[in-house]
């Protein structure tokens, strides 16, 4: 029933327990005494008055006055009552006082005391809900006090009485039994209170203040009960007539009888001079009359609808609240009617009443809050009447009124925003956006208040999200979020003026929005993979609905697709404005219009798309083409003219396009309009023709009244006469036509509506349309604290926001503003990184780096001190590096700017020593500390030398700093001042807070794209430095960049593939372009070696790539290579020792052995190189088929090298001759289970390796040094004869004889004959060894080789060498040793051949050929040998058997007795 629920447990003076009789009786006595003293007080004041006091002295025949009698009677009774107080009817002890209050015979002092007594009784909680007849008693009190009458003797006493009336009424409402009051009584109380407020205008300031305060308290008291009221649909049907009726009837029913101060009327409340409320006397009369007319005319004075009367007599609840709220809204309306509306500039006159009314409305909304939505009548008042007035007063010239309006709207947003979607849009469009921009003529104060209000809204966490979701993503609404964000950005920009409070205010709003987004990120629901919205097929865009507006999984994709559609429509509108046909084709292509156009879809495009050229739309709709006519009718059908006045409907219709100029087109347009209007609002009109004729008539009237060229204007009578008999032959009601006439005269119908996206005015017709739309508007989406739409929103506002914050930061001079901007920057960075908006983050970094002053290369005399003194620069620097450390994953091109800052700090010697170190291996840091890197953290005057003799690259910050303090290096320097020390300390602390080193040491956690960009930035910076014109400083920078590049490469060994190409190319460029030793090439080469050393164990798949890179070292310029050869060799040696097992490919080994081979002839490097070769080859530990030949070749280089001791060459030969691994591999091949082809291939490879080995040894056999030469010969012999288990093919042996043995013999002989003893000492011994080797190998292989067809050729080769050696001259004469040795060896060979049956005389040609050729040669060497070996056949054989001893292999080899070793 819309009444308060009675609450149990209300504390009052309750019945005491029976065991406390004494206290109960004393309590009763106390109350009796209290009432007795109040009776006494009233009587005492009455006795002072002559009228009342005189009666006692008259005769006994005159009785006392009834007022005195009742008081005395009460006095007699109170002490005789035995019952508890709550069993006594309160009317008994209240009535005497109330009689005094009602009496018009009593003066103001008496009435005042009686009111005080009632107030005391009410405030002492004598009454409670258990008290008998308490409801009647409360009604009596209210009725008595609100109809209080008294004689005014002086103004002061009158004010006292009025004040006490207010006190009693407020006490009634605050009393525990106020729930017993009816709706009617509550309305009466408020009405009386307002009458006092109004009357107080002519009284003292104190009464005015108290009256207004009481009114506020009453409203607060009433509306604070709204949450406790039962939900009820019942409220007054006729819009709160009762309260207005009472207010209107002030004159007759409730007037305070002020006989002494009538001033010609019976209305003392409204008499007097201009009141503080802001009314003149005439205004007061207007107010009264306006109220009076609005109610008495409708309700015939005191009569009221029975249903309403029934509601009003019930205990108070929603009905009285509706009444009061309606009355408060009507106060605003009355002020507007009186012409003191927003257009007026007389602020003093305008402010008071609206402020008072708005304050009361604000209180009621604060306390009623969300409960208002449960009561439709109240909600309707808020949605329509209140908001309409707020829109009007929002444009008031008074900042106070505007501020109060904004406060109310903020409260409404908090409590009722789900019911006020379109109203909020209108408020922001027509009030905030209009006032906050100075181009609409708003004063600075208005702008500031509007901006403050907007910032307050921005501080509501979900405000901007909800504006975006509900309005920006709705095709029928404007882009409020976008416009507000743009407004804030623009308003924060100081254009050609210093920074003002307004700029800072706008900045606060922007940053509040951004920080709201940043906070939402931590609440989850950030969609990292965003699927782009597309339309695959046509669906009517104006009919798309969401399945569930409260479920994010449903509404988020819905609003995103709506925003997409809205954007495409805007693009379509742009195309349409240039060429209507192409515009429609474009929309068909994007599936927003069907492939075959239909009238409804085109009509909806015209109706719901903002930004269309209204002239083109009007031309299209007025066209006679059949399709255009259909579109026109569909267009008219999109309007809702239900219960709308004709002129309002026409205004709305003509606002959407420009009415064409041709009469035929106008007729077509108005026909469509009339048809739709008649269909929806047929109340007065007989048919659609009547609507058409009247519409035409209104257009003509509009032209007549508002066209300056029409001199003679149409009168009301003319208009009514012109429209006779148009309503189906009958006349339309005169009042109806009169209303239309005045509406058109007062407010022109604009047939040329404004183009574009200007800020609209809220006209009455637009408001009516808004109320119609709000009934059909989709539900309001309430956003939670998750970041569902922030990506889209941030993409819209990020650019202007960064620009605005940057400009303010640039212009700011106070640290609080700096900090605000920094907070904004960090929030932008957080959002950008979270939503993967790399471009935005790059822009931010670029902007911030500008403020660090580090990129400013202009010559500041003392850059370190300037930086220390510049708070803005230091804050910007810390922020840049905070972003780099926290959000580096999403920085791309911004790394270049960050790196520029780092390089500048490096040049100033301000970087910590660890920056370029590699976190993976801290042991290497100490050796890597480059020039200018160490930092000193403690600072005292002792650290600061007064002289400045240090060079530019002096290590340490203090040396650098002392330089910066100097202006001229020749003069002695003074000690730095305290300010300089402090500035320097601040600089150090700033750099410390930046944690620059972690960017590189923690680079392993960077995302791949970011890491790649960081590496590219380093390469770019280094390359730029290399091209510079300042060699020492630029080389320093290039070295530093290279160090950083190597550091991040080593830190990212798991992602080396990503970086390797760039790093390799950079180092390659350095190596190939450097012709002299320098720090850069040194860093490049050793960095490369470090990378290989550290990465080989982890990246076997990249081993070849890494090792191939070391070939760069081979490309070094000779001078450079020479300078660093020893260190390079040591590094390569270290690499081999650590990673030998990880190097598997032949290519890798080729690089390593090439590097080692080069060192063989380098005095300093050869030892380390040989050490590495020994490590690989000793015991075959690290030899493999892949590296065998390469290692043999490297060892040969060391064997041949004359650098170092002969001993090393001999050791090299030993390493070469260790053929055990070949046997081992051959054995493994036999044991392994592999295919025949594979085994054959392996055997062939082993043979090839052996051949390469013996070829290498052959070369060493020609060495100048005797020991090396002879050792090589013995090693060669060992390799040729001791190769067990390796199956060498015949062809391989033939190759060996040709390429190795014969060649070696020929070359040795040539050396012996062609060089002096000084060059080749003791060549004779070497020749002897060589011949023995030939004989031994030949005999060992005789069995196998003799089977070959080419054996004859081989044998002839052996013979021809022996012959040559026999004839050889060493040092000009024949060698005795050879003369002895050759025949001996030949004899043994022939004996063995004879024994084996190889050399025998045959009859065949072949046999004879070998036989003959043999003796042909032998006879040239030693003619006697044939007779010695073959003197007779029998004895020869025996001799042969005794002359040769067979070996295990079955080959007869001459024994030691035969061959002289």
């Amino acid at each position: 029933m819309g009444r308060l629920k009675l609450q149990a447990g209300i504390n009052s003076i309750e019945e005491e327990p029976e065991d406390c009789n004494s206290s109960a009786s004393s309590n009763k006595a106390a109350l009796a005494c209290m009432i007795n003293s109040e009776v006494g007080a009233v009587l005492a004041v009455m006795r002072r008055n002559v009228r009342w006091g005189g009666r006692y002295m008259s005769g006994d025949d005159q009785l006392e006055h009834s007022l005195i009698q009742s008081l005395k009677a009460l006095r007699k009774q109170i002490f005789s009552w035995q019952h508890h107080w709550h069993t006594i009817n309160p009317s008994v002890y209240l009535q005497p006082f109330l009689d005094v209050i009602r009496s018009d015979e009593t003066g103001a002092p008496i009435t005042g005391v009686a009111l005080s007594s009632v107030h005391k009784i009410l405030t002492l909680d004598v009454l409670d809900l258990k008290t008998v007849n308490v409801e009647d008693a409360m009604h009596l009190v209210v009725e008595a006090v609100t109809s209080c009458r008294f004689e005014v003797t002086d103004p002061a006493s009158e004010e006292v009485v009025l004040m006490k009336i207010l006190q009693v009424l407020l006490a009634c409402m605050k009393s525990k039994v106020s729930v017993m009051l009816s709706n009617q009584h509550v309305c009466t109380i408020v009405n009386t209170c307002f009458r006092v407020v109004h009357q107080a205008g002519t009284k003292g300031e104190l009464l005015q203040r108290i009256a207004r305060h009481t009114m506020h308290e009453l409203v607060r008291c009433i509306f604070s009960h709204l949450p406790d009221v039962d939900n009820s649909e019942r409220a007054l049907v006729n819009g709160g007539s009762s309260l207005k009726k009472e207010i209107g009837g002030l004159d007759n029913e409730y007037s305070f009888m002020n006989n002494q101060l009538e001033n010609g009327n019976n209305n003392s409340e409204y008499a007097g001079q201009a009141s503080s409320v802001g009314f003149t006397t005439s205004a007061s009369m207007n107010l009264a009359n306006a109220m009076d007319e609005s109610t008495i005319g409708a309700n015939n004075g005191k009569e009221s609808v029975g249903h309403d009367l029934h509601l009003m007599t019930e205990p108070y609840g929603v009905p009285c609240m509706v009444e009061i709220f309606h009355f408060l809204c009507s106060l605003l309306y009355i002020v507007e009617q009186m012409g003191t509306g927003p257009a007026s500039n007389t602020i003093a006159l305008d402010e008071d009443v609206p402020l008072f009314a708005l304050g009361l409305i604000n209180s009621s909304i604060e306390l009623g809050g969300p409960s208002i939505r449960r009561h439709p009548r109240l909600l309707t008042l808020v949605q329509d009447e209140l908001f309409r007035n707020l829109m009007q007063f929002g444009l008031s010239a008074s900042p106070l009124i505007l501020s109060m309006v904004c406060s109310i709207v903020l409260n409404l947003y908090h409590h009722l925003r789900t019911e006020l979607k379109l109203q909020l849009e209108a408020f922001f469009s027509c009030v905030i956006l209009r006032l906050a921009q100075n181009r609409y003529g708003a004063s600075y104060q208005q702008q500031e208040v509007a901006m403050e209000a907007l910032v307050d809204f921005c501080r509501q966490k979900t405000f901007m999200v909800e504006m975006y979701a509900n309005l920006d993503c709705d095709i029928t609404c404007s882009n409020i979020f976008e416009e507000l964000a743009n407004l804030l950005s623009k308003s924060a920009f100081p254009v050609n003026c210093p920074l003002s409070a307004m700029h800072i205010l706008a900045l606060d709003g922007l940053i509040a929005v951004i920080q709201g987004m940043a906070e939402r990120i931590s609440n989850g629901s950030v969609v990292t993979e965003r699927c782009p919205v597309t339309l695959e097929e046509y669906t009517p865009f104006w009919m798309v609905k969401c399945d569930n507006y409260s479920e994010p999984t449903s509404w988020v994709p819905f609003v995103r697709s709506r925003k997409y559609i809205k954007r495409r429509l805007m693009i379509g509108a742009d195309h349409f404005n240039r060429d209507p046909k192409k515009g429609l084709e474009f929309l068909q292509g994007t599936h927003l219009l069907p492939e075959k156009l239909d009238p409804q879809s085109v009509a909806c495009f015209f109706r719901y798309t903002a930004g269309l050229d209204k002239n083109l739309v009007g031309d299209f709709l007025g066209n006679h083409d059949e399709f255009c006519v259909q579109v026109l009718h569909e267009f008219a059908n999109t309007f809702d003219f239900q219960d709308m006045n004709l002129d309002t409907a026409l205004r709305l219709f003509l606002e959407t396009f420009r009415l064409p100029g041709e009469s035929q087109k106008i007729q077509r347009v108005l026909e469509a309009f009339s048809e739709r209007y008649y269909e929806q609002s047929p109340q007065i009109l007989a048919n659609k023709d009547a609507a058409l004729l009247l519409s035409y008539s209104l257009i003509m009237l509009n032209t007549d009244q508002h066209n300056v060229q029409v001199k003679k204007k149409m009168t009301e009578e003319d208009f009514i006469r012109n429209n006779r008999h148009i309503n189906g032959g009958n006349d339309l009601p005169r009042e109806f036509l009169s209303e239309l006439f005045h509406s058109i005269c007062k407010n022109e119908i604009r047939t040329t509506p404004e183009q574009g996206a200007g800020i609209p005015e809220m006209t009455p017709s637009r408001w009516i349309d808004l109320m119609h739309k709000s009934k059909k508007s989709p539900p309001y989406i309430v956003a939670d604290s998750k970041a569902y739409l922030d990506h889209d929103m941030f993409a819209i506002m990020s650019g202007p926001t960064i620009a605005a914050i940057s400009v303010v930061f640039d212009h700011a001079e106070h640290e609080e503003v700096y900090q605000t901007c920094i907070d904004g920057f960090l929030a932008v960075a957080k959002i950008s990184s979270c939503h993967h908006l790399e471009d935005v983050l790059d822009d931010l970094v670029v902007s911030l780096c500008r403020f660090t002053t580090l990129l400013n290369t202009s010559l500041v005399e003392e850059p370190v001190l300037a930086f220390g003194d510049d708070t803005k620069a230091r804050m910007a620097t810390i922020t840049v590096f905070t972003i780099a450390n926290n959000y580096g994953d999403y920085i791309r091109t911004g790394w270049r700017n960050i790196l520029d800052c780092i390089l500048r700090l490096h040049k100033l010697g301000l970087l910590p020593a660890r920056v370029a170190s590699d976190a993976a291996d801290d042991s290497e840091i100490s050796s890597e500390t480059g020039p200018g890197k160490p930092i000193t953290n403690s600072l005292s005057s002792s650290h600061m030398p007064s002289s400045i003799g240090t060079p530019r690259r002096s290590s340490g910050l203090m040396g650098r700093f002392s330089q910066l303090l100097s202006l001229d290096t020749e003069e002695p320097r003074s000690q730095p001042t305290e300010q300089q020390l402090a500035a320097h300390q601040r600089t150090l602390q700033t750099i410390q807070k930046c944690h620059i080193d972690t960017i590189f040491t923690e680079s392993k956690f960077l995302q791949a794209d970011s890491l790649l960009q960081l590496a590219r930035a380093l390469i770019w910076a280094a390359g730029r430095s290399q091209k510079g014109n300042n060699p020492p400083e630029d080389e320093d920078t290039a070295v530093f960049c290279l160090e950083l590049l190597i550091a991040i490469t080593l830190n990212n060994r798991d992602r080396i593939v990503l970086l390797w190409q760039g790093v390799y190319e950079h180092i390659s460029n350095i190596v190939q372009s450097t012709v002299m030793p320098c720090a850069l090439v040194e860093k490049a080469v050793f960095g490369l070696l470090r990378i290989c050393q550290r990465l080989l164990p982890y990246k076997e798949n990249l081993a070849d790539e890494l090792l191939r890179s070391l070939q760069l070292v081979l490309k070094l310029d000779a001078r450079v290579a020479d300078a660093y050869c020893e260190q390079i060799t040591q590094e390569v040696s270290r690499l081999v020792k650590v990673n030998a097992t990880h190097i598997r490919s032949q290519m890798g080994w080729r690089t390593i052995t090439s590097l080692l081979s080069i060192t063989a002839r380098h005095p300093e490097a050869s030892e380390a190189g040989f050490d590495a070769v020994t490590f690989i080859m000793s015991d075959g530990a690290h030899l493999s088929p892949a590296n065998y030949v390469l290692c043999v070749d490297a060892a040969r280089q060391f064997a041949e090298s004359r650098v170092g001791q002969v001993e090393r060459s001999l050791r090299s030969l030993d390493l070469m001759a260790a053929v055990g691994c070949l046997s081992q591999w051959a054995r493994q091949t036999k044991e392994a289970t592999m295919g025949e082809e594979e085994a054959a291939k392996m055997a062939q490879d082993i043979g090839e390796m052996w051949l390469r080995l013996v070829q290498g040894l052959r070369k060493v056999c020609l060495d100048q040094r005797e020991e090396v030469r002879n050792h090589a010969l013995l090693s060669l012999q060992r390799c040729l004869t001791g190769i067990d288990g390796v199956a060498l093919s015949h062809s391989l042996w033939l190759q060996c004889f040709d390429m190795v043995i014969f060649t070696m013999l020929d070359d040795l002989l040539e050396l012996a004959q062609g060089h002096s003893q000084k060059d080749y000492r003791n060549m004779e011994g070497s020749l002897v060894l060589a011949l023995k080797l030939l004989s031994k190998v030949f005999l060992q292989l005789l069995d196998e080789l003799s089977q070959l067809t080419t054996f004859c050729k081989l044998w002839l080769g052996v013979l021809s060498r022996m012959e040559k050696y026999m004839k050889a001259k060493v040092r000009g004469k024949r060698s005795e040793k050879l003369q002895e040795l050759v025949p001996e060896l030949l004899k043994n060979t022939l004996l063995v051949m004879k024994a084996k049956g190889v050399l025998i005389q045959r009859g065949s040609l072949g046999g004879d050929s070998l036989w003959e050729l043999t003796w042909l040669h032998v006879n040239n060497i030693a003619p006697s040998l044939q007779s010695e070996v073959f003197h007779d056949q029998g004895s020869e054989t025996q001799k042969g058997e005794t002359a040769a001893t067979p070996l295990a292999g079955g080959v007869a080899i001459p024994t030691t007795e035969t061959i002289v070793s």
Side-chain angles (χ1 to χ4, degrees), residues 1106-1126:
L1106 290 167
L1107 291 166
R1108 186 184 292 119
S1109 71
L1110 292 179
Q1111 291 175 5
L1112 285 177
V1113 181
L1114 302 172
K1115 296 177 184 176
L1116 281 169
D1117 184 272
R1119 287 167 290 192
V1120 179
D1122 190 54
Y1124 302 121
C1125 192
E1126 186 176 3

Side-chain angles (χ1 to χ4, degrees), residues 285-355:
M285 294 306 296
N286 287 342
L287 180 63
N289 294 340
M291 293 181 175
D292 200 20
E293 287 166 12
S294 66
T295 54
I296 293 172
N299 288 319
N300 192 17
K302 299 175 199 170
E303 289 181 21
S304 187
V305 181
H307 175 63
D308 294 352
L309 205 58
H310 169 64
L311 278 177
M312 291 306 284
T313 54
E314 287 186 353
Y316 90 93
V318 176
C320 75
M321 294 184 202
V322 171
E323 285 277 83
I324 293 163
F325 200 81
H326 184 61
F327 162 62
L328 296 177
C329 293
S330 70
L331 276 181
L332 295 172
Y333 184 68
I334 289 163
V335 173
E336 196 183 315
Q337 291 284 305
M338 286 164 55
T340 59
S344 170
N345 287 324
T346 51
I347 292 178
L349 184 66
D350 295 352
E351 273 184 353
D352 213 20
V353 175
L355 273 178

Side-chain angles (χ1 to χ4, degrees), residues 1315-1357:
H1315 290 82
S1316 67
Q1317 173 69 16
K1318 199 165 88 174
D1319 292 337
Y1320 287 87
R1321 295 178 56 199
N1322 199 6
M1323 280 300 291
E1324 200 174 16
S1326 302
L1327 295 173
V1328 168
L1329 289 173
L1331 270 179
K1332 287 181 179 178
L1333 178 148
L1334 172 69
S1335 173
K1336 192 168 187 179
V1337 174
F1338 180 76
L1339 290 174
Q1340 187 168 328
L1341 295 169
L1342 186 60
D1343 281 349
E1344 295 174 49
L1345 298 176
S1346 60
Q1347 311 303 319
L1348 299 176
T1349 53
T1350 54
F1351 174 70
C1352 182
K1353 184 183 173 188
L1354 176 68
W1355 169 233
L1356 288 176

Side-chain angles (χ1 to χ4, degrees), residues 572 575-576 579-588 593 605:
H575 283 289
F576 180 87
D579 183 336
K581 188 179 176 187
K582 285 185 180 171
L584 296 175
E585 284 171 1
F586 168 81
L587 291 165
Q588 286 174 293
L593 292 179
F605 167 64

Side-chain angles (χ1 to χ4, degrees), residues 13-25 27-28 84 86:
I13 302 171
E14 295 176 356
E15 185 177 348
E16 301 292 335
E18 288 179 12
D19 58 349
C20 299
N21 284 332
S22 59
S23 68
S25 59
N27 212 353
K28 276 190 287 182
H84 288 288
H86 70 262

Side-chain angles (χ1 to χ4, degrees), residues 1206-1226:
V1206 171
E1207 179 64 29
R1208 192 165 72 201
S1209 296
L1210 302 182
R1211 277 164 54 206
S1212 302
L1213 288 166
D1214 290 339
L1215 291 174
M1216 288 174 74
V1219 289
C1221 52
L1222 293 176
S1223 308
Q1224 185 184 342
W1225 297 335

Side-chain angles (χ1 to χ4, degrees), residues 152-166:
V152 177
T153 51
D154 64 290
S157 59
E158 182 191 3
E159 286 188 27
V160 172
V161 173
L162 292 175
M163 203 153 67
K164 290 188 174 177
I165 288 171
L166 295 172

Side-chain angles (χ1 to χ4, degrees), residues 109 148 229 369 376 398 428 433 461 497 547 604-605 633 642 650 715 925 977 986 990 1012 1100 1170 1176 1224:
C148 169
V229 173
S398 160
F428 285 109
L433 284 164
K461 299 299 180 197
C497 62
D547 298 333
C604 289
F605 167 64
H633 282 272
Q642 197 82 36
L650 193 56
T715 64
I925 290 167
T977 63
R986 286 194 294 272
T990 300
L1012 192 57
E1100 294 190 4
F1170 182 67
I1176 299 167
Q1224 185 184 342

